[in-house]
């Protein structure tokens, strides 16, 4: 069956209109979602800037932290301004959801009308091909009364039904097409609104890029002026002062018991005393060791001539070992070993 010219393309207008409407919806959604993401990004940058604001306020590293934070704050200012403009432009974006439903319904009406027309033409061809048998049937049944045997031939019946269906689908298609000029005009208005919003958004992005470029150019020039040597110099000077300070050097001990004589320290500061002093004491007592403390004068003499704990412990003479024993006795008994002791003091 050869269909009339243009039947295959029937309904393309609604299909094109529907595709364009969906493209408008996609661009509108994309613009809105991008604005939402930009807003979230800006909020994150604001939290970041506030979090490090106190740190950057300290004038350290030759002002580099302040410079970095200032750049971030300037970028935020530009982004916030651009984001506010984008939100304003998004308010004028056309509502696409309802027009899309109407155009989608119209497209269905046209497709059904097209299918109804093709079915009717196919049924017509079948009926026309069977016209001799149909004419013979009519001559035979022309004066016959209607009964079950007098039903319409299938070819004619299908033809009649397809034509009625075509009338119904064509009526709906004509009804929708009657508003087609208005539909197209409204579609054109939506296209122009979106186009205008996209242009305004593009200008806002250009302004943002220009602003950021200006800020970053200034920021880069300021970074070029930064000197790591100048920033480290105060650290070096402070380290040198600390290294030369008396605080970082061993303090001298003066034994005011014997007139304030400068003296090393061998006892009275837990130098020899082990942590498990109680266990050591019990062990010494168990072995029958008798604690006898030497006079203070002897202790001070040993301390005065020791040269300090490091030098003292390097000695290997028997006298050193004896003196170590004496000092150990003093430390063990001078600090409460957690048990009452009877000490024999000369």
């Amino acid at each position: 069956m050869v269909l009339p010219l243009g039947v295959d393309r029937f309904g393309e207008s609604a299909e094109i209109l529907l595709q364009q409407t969906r493209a408008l919806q996609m661009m509108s959604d994309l613009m809105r979602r991008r604005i939402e993401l930009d807003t979230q990004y800006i909020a994150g940058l604001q939290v970041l800037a506030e979090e490090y604001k106190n740190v950057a306020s300290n004038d350290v590293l030759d002002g580099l932290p302040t410079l970095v934070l200032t750049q971030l704050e300037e970028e935020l200012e530009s982004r916030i301004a651009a984001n506010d403009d984008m939100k304003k432009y998004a308010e004028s974006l056309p509502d696409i959801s309802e027009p899309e439903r109407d155009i989608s319904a119209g497209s269905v009406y046209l497709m059904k009308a097209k299918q109804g027309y093709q079915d009717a033409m196919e049924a017509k061809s079948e009926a026309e091909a069977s016209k001799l048998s149909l004419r013979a049937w009519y001559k035979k049944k022309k004066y016959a009364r209607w009964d079950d045997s007098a039903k319409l031939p299938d070819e004619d019946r299908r033809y009649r039904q397809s034509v009625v269906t075509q009338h119904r689908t064509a009526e709906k298609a004509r009804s929708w097409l009657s508003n087609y000029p208005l539909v197209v005009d409204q579609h054109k208005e939506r296209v122009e609104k979106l186009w205008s919003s996209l242009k305004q958004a593009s200008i806002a992005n250009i302004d943002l890029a220009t602003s950021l470029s200006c800020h970053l150019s200034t920021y880069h020039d300021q970074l070029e002026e930064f000197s790591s040597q100048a920033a480290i110099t105060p650290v070096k000077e402070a380290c040198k002062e600390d290294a030369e300070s008396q605080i970082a050097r061993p303090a001298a001990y003066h034994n005011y018991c014997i007139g304030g004589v400068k003296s090393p320290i061998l006892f009275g500061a837990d130098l020899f005393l082990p942590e498990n002093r109680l266990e050591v004491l019990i062990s010494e007592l168990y072995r029958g060791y008798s604690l006898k403390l030497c006079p203070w004068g002897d202790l001070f003499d040993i301390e005065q001539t020791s040269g300090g704990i490091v030098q003292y412990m390097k000695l290997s003479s028997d006298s050193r070992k004896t003196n170590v024993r004496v000092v150990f006795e003093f430390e063990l008994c001078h600090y409460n070993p957690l048990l009452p002791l009877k000490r024999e003091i000369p």
Side-chain angles (χ1 to χ4, degrees):
M1 178 188 65
V2 179
L3 295 175
L5 185 64
V7 171
D8 290 340
R9 299 185 57 186
F10 182 81
E12 280 189 4
S13 58
E15 188 61 27
I16 293 173
L17 191 60
L18 182 61
Q19 291 177 359
Q20 290 188 359
T21 300
R22 288 172 177 170
L24 291 177
Q25 182 68 64
M26 180 273 294
M27 289 183 285
S28 296
D29 291 345
L30 188 148
M31 187 172 178
R32 290 190 180 96
R33 290 188 63 184
R34 177 174 177 178
I35 292 173
E36 291 176 1
L37 291 175
D38 286 343
T39 302
Q40 294 173 9
Y41 177 65
I42 290 171
L45 288 181
Q46 288 175 318
V47 171
L48 190 66
E50 189 63 29
E51 180 179 350
Y52 288 96
K53 188 173 184 178
N54 293 332
V55 178
S57 63
N58 299 325
D59 190 15
V60 297
L61 276 175
D62 203 21
L64 188 60
T66 302
L67 177 62
V68 173
L69 184 64
T70 300
Q71 187 279 324
L72 177 58
E73 290 174 341
E74 290 176 348
E75 178 182 343
L76 267 172
E77 184 179 350
S78 298
R79 289 189 180 277
I80 290 172
N83 189 250
D84 290 341
D85 289 340
M86 296 285 280
K87 290 178 179 178
K88 180 176 62 177
Y89 303 147
E91 292 176 357
S92 61
L93 288 173
D95 183 17
I96 309 297
S97 56
E98 185 174 350
E100 182 183 4
R101 288 194 297 269
D102 294 340
I103 295 172
S104 180
S107 178
V108 172
Y109 293 152
L110 296 186
M111 291 300 101
K112 286 185 176 181
K114 178 179 178 180
Q115 187 61 49
Y117 180 81
Q118 291 174 333
D119 292 343
M121 292 300 99
E122 183 177 350
K124 177 179 179 297
S125 297
E126 292 179 357
E128 188 176 7
S130 304
K131 61 182 178 180
L132 294 178
S133 60
L134 290 174
R135 186 174 298 177
W137 174 87
Y138 176 70
K139 287 181 179 180
K140 182 178 179 181
K141 300 292 184 178
K142 183 177 181 179
Y143 299 106
R145 296 184 61 178
W146 181 89
D147 55 22
D148 290 343
S149 62
K151 289 181 179 179
L152 287 171
D154 291 340
E155 295 85 355
D156 186 57
R157 184 175 178 81
R158 284 196 298 270
Y159 184 24
R160 289 169 181 266
Q161 290 176 337
S162 62
V163 169
V164 170
T165 299
Q166 191 274 332
H167 289 177
R168 292 171 181 168
T169 56
E171 182 179 0
K172 289 184 178 181
R174 284 198 311 275
S175 175
W176 188 80
L177 287 171
S178 64
N179 296 321
Y180 206 68
L182 177 61
V183 172
V184 173
D185 288 343
Q186 291 174 341
H187 177 66
K188 181 175 179 290
E189 182 180 347
R190 290 190 292 271
V191 171
E192 290 176 347
K193 278 186 177 181
L194 180 62
W195 175 56
S196 176
S197 296
L198 290 175
K199 285 198 302 181
Q200 291 172 325
S202 176
I203 293 173
N205 283 326
I206 291 173
D207 292 341
L208 173 61
T210 302
S211 177
L212 291 179
S213 177
C214 180
H215 292 322
L216 288 173
S217 178
T218 303
Y219 175 60
H220 178 74
D221 292 341
Q222 292 172 330
L223 286 177
E224 288 290 340
E225 296 174 1
F226 173 77
S227 170
S228 60
Q229 182 62 36
I232 296 300
T233 297
V235 179
K236 290 183 176 179
E237 293 176 352
C239 287
K240 183 178 179 181
E241 291 179 3
D242 289 344
E244 295 174 353
S245 173
Q246 293 295 327
I247 296 175
R249 298 184 179 185
Y253 165 71
H254 296 267
N255 191 339
Y256 291 101
C257 296
I258 54 175
V261 178
K262 187 176 179 181
S263 173
I265 298 175
L266 286 185
F267 55 87
D270 280 349
L271 293 177
F272 284 93
L273 199 61
E275 291 184 3
N276 56 339
R277 63 182 70 177
L278 180 59
E279 290 83 349
V280 173
L281 178 61
I282 293 174
S283 176
E284 295 292 337
L285 293 175
Y286 178 76
R287 290 187 298 176
Y289 177 70
S290 176
L291 298 174
K292 295 181 181 180
L293 301 182
C294 67
W296 283 105
D298 293 345
L299 282 172
F300 288 155
D301 289 341
I302 293 172
E303 188 173 53
Q304 280 286 100
T305 59
S306 68
I309 184 65
V310 176
Q311 295 298 326
Y312 187 68
M313 294 303 294
K314 288 181 179 179
L315 298 177
S316 59
S317 65
D318 294 337
S319 61
R320 197 277 298 181
K321 293 179 181 178
T322 302
N323 290 339
V324 169
R325 187 77 179 218
V326 171
V327 173
F328 177 71
E329 291 176 16
F330 173 82
E331 291 282 65
L332 198 59
C333 296
H334 182 75
Y335 293 101
N336 189 352
L338 305 181
L339 284 176
L341 299 175
K342 294 181 179 179
R343 298 184 296 175
E344 180 180 350
I345 303 176

